[in-house]
């Protein structure tokens, strides 16, 4: 929720309008100021906590978010030496839905949309933190746009001749997945035998961690390893041993166009990439035992105008039909209260240095 | 008759006055003004006023030194790029200082200066040479004569040295905000290559003291 701060950094420097004069927040009996809260467990956040910042300890941050935080927020964490996230209404709404969701029913899809810079990625990270605390298995894809553009190495997939592999992106994602969900990888067992090459194969009943190790060791098979992981998780979470959260940022990349080209200069469509193909199967709601939370993003999207932010515009016809029964969650800009709270936080952390900026 | 008005060498009539940018002056009610200020206001209402240049602004965050520095950094008239580089430099300085501030123990926190504007002004002041050298030709030979510098010249030299130092003596791939913020922080602490250059200039002037009487102004 603090990634709206990048617009605010420039604003604090150049021109801050004087909204601050009208509504002055009354200091409550809390020992710290009104924009902090001591509640560091997202499960206990209610409307009472709305507009306040809660802190995530840095070790937990490394374990839960090896990838996925917006880059501006990461810079801010480095500068202030701590991570404070604001509690906002869309996130609280999602928590109520997730708490009351029935795991026996098929997975419900939630799509977070909003204009540029309003806090969609931060809402997603808040939800991921909540689910990680609750003990869910979190499948967090930081930015699907990274999979459809700027790929240096495209190889033909050994499993299926039509598709193309992306070893670099797949291996980096596998590495981050391993750090975030270590204990789950030891418990979940594969249900089929997978053959990677002439001499390498994974037997039935081995822990999933071995598949991940295989993908990391043999970079050529990394995309297939990702596909195997996704398939196993989809099959097994229906049995109810662990709830699964699929969190995808920039989901409109899966149904748009790519900027990649094959060796004969013909354009690649997203279905021809193994990673995108497998991820699309996860986004279908034919499995039960979890939830799917997705964010639309215009900033990384390809061939879309910069004023587009509604689901219909960004997903296109194909994407909209694929995601069709979904719960839309709009994320608005900061309300005056949230603005006050963010402003107070920056003043407290000494981020606003100019004397005139501190009226 | 040419259809276009030749603008480059045209000059305002001397009766034109400079525009007044200070907002607070206009917001004061009439009674609080002193006699001279009332007279000045009446004069301004009657006399013609020059057009305000686009770089002059009435914002509280406007700083003439910073705009001069951005103009010097600008290449090919790309003011947008120069301004964004300046903003990124100031942000980089603030981030570095804030990181140090938040990691320092309580008693050292007050010694660390975090305001990038203060650092910029202090660094420029530290880089300004007091005395310069000028070439004077006597009897066929040119001598380097130590000469006092005007304020504008000192500021110009300090800014010029900063920018050339960043453009030339650094690794090719580092970004300008990073290089500039490093140089400004070093100059703020009175260390670094620009301060050394200033000291070299002072030493040369001291060494050529004997020729000081060649100066006639």
């Amino acid at each position: 929720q603090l990634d709206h701060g990048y617009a605010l950094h420039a604003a604090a420097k150049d021109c801050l309008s004087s909204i601050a004069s009208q509504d002055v927040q009354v200091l409550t009996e809390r020992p710290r100021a009104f924009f902090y809260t001591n509640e560091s467990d997202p499960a206990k956040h209610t409307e009472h906590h709305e507009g306040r910042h809660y802190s995530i300890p840095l070790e937990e941050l490394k374990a839960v978010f090896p990838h996925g935080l917006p880059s501006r927020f990461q810079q801010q964490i480095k500068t202030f030496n701590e991570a404070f996230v604001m509690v906002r209404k869309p996130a609280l709404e999602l928590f109520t839905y997730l708490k009351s969701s029935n795991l026996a029913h098929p997975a419900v899809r939630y799509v977070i949309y909003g204009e540029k810079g309003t806090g969609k990625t931060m809402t997603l990270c808040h939800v991921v933190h909540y689910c990680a605390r609750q003990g869910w298995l979190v499948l967090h894809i930081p930015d699907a746009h990274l999979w459809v553009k700027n790929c240096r190495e495209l190889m033909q997939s050994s499993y299926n001749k039509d598709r193309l592999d992306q070893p670099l992106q797949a291996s980096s994602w596998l590495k981050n997945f391993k750090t975030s969900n270590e204990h789950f990888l030891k418990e979940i067992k594969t249900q089929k035998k997978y053959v990677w090459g002439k001499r390498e194969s994974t037997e039935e009943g081995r822990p999933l961690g071995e598949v991940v190790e295989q993908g990391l060791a043999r970079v050529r098979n990394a995309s297939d390893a990702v596909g195997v992981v996704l398939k196993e998780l989809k099959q097994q979470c229906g049995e109810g041993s662990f709830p699964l959260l699929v969190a995808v940022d920039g989901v409109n990349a899966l149904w748009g166009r790519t900027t990649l080209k094959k060796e004969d200069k013909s354009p690649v469509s997203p279905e021809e990439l193994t990673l995108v193909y497998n991820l699309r199967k996860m986004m279908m709601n034919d499995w039960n035992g979890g939830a799917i939370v997705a964010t639309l993003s215009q900033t990384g999207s390809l061939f879309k105008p910069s004023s587009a932010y509604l689901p219909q515009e960004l997903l296109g016809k194909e994407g909209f039909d694929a995601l069709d029964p979904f719960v839309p969650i709009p994320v608005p800009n900061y309300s005056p209260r949230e603005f006050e709270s963010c402003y107070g936080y920056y003043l407290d952390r000494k981020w606003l240095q100019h004397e005139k900026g501190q009226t | 008759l040419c259809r276009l008005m030749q603008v480059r060498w045209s000059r305002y009539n001397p009766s034109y006055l400079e525009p007044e940018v200070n907002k607070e002056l206009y917001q004061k009610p009439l009674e609080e003004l002193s006699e001279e200020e009332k007279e000045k206001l009446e004069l301004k209402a009657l006399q013609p006023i020059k057009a305000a240049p686009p770089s002059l602004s009435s914002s509280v965050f406007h700083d003439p030194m910073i705009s001069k520095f951005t103009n010097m950094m600008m290449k090919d008239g790309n003011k947008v790029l120069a301004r964004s580089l300046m903003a990124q430099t100031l942000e980089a300085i603030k981030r570095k200082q804030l990181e140090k501030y938040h990691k320092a123990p309580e008693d050292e926190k007050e010694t660390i200066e975090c305001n990038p504007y203060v650092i910029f002004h202090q660094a420029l002041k530290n880089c300004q040479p007091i005395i310069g050298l000028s070439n004077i030709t006597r009897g066929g030979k040119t001598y380097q004569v130590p000469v006092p510098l005007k304020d504008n010249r000192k500021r110009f030299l300090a800014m010029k040295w900063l920018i050339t130092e960043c453009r030339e003596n650094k690794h090719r791939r580092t970004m300008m905000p990073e290089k500039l913020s490093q140089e400004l922080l070093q100059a703020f602490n009175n260390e670094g290559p620009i301060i050394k250059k200033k000291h070299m200039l002072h030493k040369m002037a001291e060494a050529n003291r004997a020729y000081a009487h060649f100066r006639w102004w």
Side-chain angles (χ1 to χ4, degrees), chain A residues 6 9 69-82 351, chain B residues 91 95 99:
Chain A
Y6 67 75
H9 300 171
L69 288 172
S71 54
R72 277 274 175 184
F73 189 60
Q74 276 171 347
Q75 275 176 347
Q76 184 175 302
I77 296 178
K78 196 169 146 239
T79 313
F80 294 159
N81 219 17
E82 66 203 359
W351 178 247
Chain B
E91 197 188 323
R95 274 194 204 270
E99 245 190 274

Side-chain angles (χ1 to χ4, degrees), chain A residues 9 11-16 72 75-76 78-82 348-357, chain B residues 24 59-62 83 87 90-92 94-96 98-103 113-118:
Chain A
H9 300 171
K13 277 274 158 51
D14 297 338
C15 55
L16 243 185
R72 277 274 175 184
Q75 275 176 347
Q76 184 175 302
K78 196 169 146 239
T79 313
F80 294 159
N81 219 17
E82 66 203 359
D348 187 57
R349 290 280 108 198
K350 305 252 186 299
W351 178 247
L352 299 168
Q353 282 287 328
H354 198 116
E355 326 69 60
K356 293 290 163 62
Chain B
E24 275 147 46
S59 146
V60 282
F61 300 102
H62 174 73
R83 221 175 115 137
L90 292 171
E91 197 188 323
K94 195 158 73 162
R95 274 194 204 270
K96 286 188 194 172
L98 271 181
E99 245 190 274
K100 259 194 271 180
Y101 180 88
H102 284 296
K103 286 191 184 145
E113 177 61 54
C114 286
N115 192 343
Y117 293 97
V118 163

Side-chain angles (χ1 to χ4, degrees), chain A residues 9-307:
Chain A
H9 300 171
K13 277 274 158 51
D14 297 338
C15 55
L16 243 185
S17 58
S18 55
I19 306 178
S21 45
Q22 297 107 324
D23 29 3
V24 177
Q25 279 285 352
V26 176
L27 278 171
T28 55
E29 318 84 68
R30 286 178 185 278
R32 298 159 90 187
F34 65 92
F35 42 84
Y36 285 130
T37 176
N38 294 324
E39 198 61 72
S40 67
D41 188 6
K44 300 197 192 114
H45 286 156
T46 56
E47 280 100 27
H48 178 59
H49 291 109
E50 199 187 311
R52 296 178 197 263
H53 297 80
Y54 81 98
S55 76
I56 311 181
L58 291 170
E59 299 81 24
E60 213 184 308
L61 202 72
K62 268 187 258 183
V64 177
F65 295 115
H67 54 187
L69 288 172
S71 54
R72 277 274 175 184
F73 189 60
Q74 276 171 347
Q75 275 176 347
Q76 184 175 302
I77 296 178
K78 196 169 146 239
T79 313
F80 294 159
N81 219 17
E82 66 203 359
F84 272 84
V85 180
M86 200 199 275
V87 178
R88 287 179 85 195
K89 239 198 220 134
L92 291 171
E93 220 183 293
L94 263 172
F95 292 162
T96 40
Y97 293 154
L98 287 174
K99 270 180 217 174
S100 55
S101 64
N102 188 346
L103 292 177
H105 289 176
V108 187
R109 289 178 284 211
Y110 305 96
V111 172
I112 306 176
Y113 70 98
E115 288 179 347
K116 259 195 279 199
T118 45
K120 306 181 280 283
T121 317
M122 287 309 289
T123 321
L124 192 73
C125 293
H126 199 183
V127 172
V128 163
H129 188 219
Y130 167 77
C131 293
R133 277 286 184 122
Q134 297 279 310
W136 291 36
L137 205 174
V138 166
L139 206 71
H140 185 41
I141 288 117
D143 196 357
H145 292 295
L146 297 173
W147 289 358
V148 299
K149 54 182 180 173
N150 297 342
C151 179
R152 294 288 176 95
E153 298 177 7
L154 264 183
M155 305 174 353
Q156 208 189 25
S157 159
S158 48
Y159 181 70
N160 187 337
K161 284 286 175 307
D162 298 327
R163 295 198 220 130
L164 297 160
D165 258 0
Q166 284 157 307
L168 291 171
Q169 278 93 340
S171 54
S172 60
W173 184 81
L174 275 176
K175 206 163 66 173
N176 290 325
F177 181 63
K178 201 170 117 173
T179 37
S180 59
N181 292 323
E182 296 227 35
H183 54 281
F184 275 116
L185 289 176
K186 289 180 213 144
E187 293 165 7
I188 309 175
K189 310 279 179 212
T190 54
Q191 284 174 347
K192 227 180 82 168
K193 182 174 165 184
Y194 297 104
V195 178
W196 300 110
K198 270 196 216 155
R199 281 171 233 167
E200 290 146 5
S201 68
T202 315
E203 305 294 324
E204 203 177 309
R206 305 292 299 161
L208 251 188
E210 274 201 20
V211 175
V212 176
E213 297 293 331
Q214 177 70 37
L216 285 172
R218 293 263 172 278
V219 183
R220 293 185 59 135
N221 300 335
S223 327
D224 294 324
V226 171
V228 162
V229 163
L230 292 180
K231 198 162 88 172
E232 286 295 323
L233 288 174
K234 196 164 153 178
Q235 280 172 349
Q236 292 193 9
C237 68
E239 287 138 38
S241 48
F242 56 88
L244 175 68
L245 175 79
V246 181
V248 187
D249 203 342
V251 83
N252 46 332
L254 302 180
W255 285 282
R257 285 158 64 183
T258 62
T259 35
L260 307 172
K261 291 207 174 94
K262 289 186 261 208
E263 275 159 9
D264 50 350
K265 312 273 185 181
S266 61
V268 174
S269 79
E271 293 90 31
E272 292 171 30
L273 295 166
T274 3
L275 290 171
V276 175
Y277 184 76
N278 292 320
L279 200 56
R280 277 197 200 180
K281 282 196 273 187
M282 279 310 273
M283 301 294 287
M284 297 293 122
N285 55 353
D286 47 2
W287 52 279
N288 51 359
I292 307 178
V293 181
T295 314
L296 297 176
S297 146
Q298 201 284 325
T299 22
S301 72
L302 299 159
F303 307 104
K304 291 273 185 278
S306 57
S307 56

Side-chain angles (χ1 to χ4, degrees), chain B residues 73-85:
Chain B
M73 264 210 303
M74 170 165 70
K75 272 188 179 174
D76 301 326
N78 197 346
K79 181 84 119 197
V80 172
L81 185 62
R83 221 175 115 137
S84 74
L85 284 176

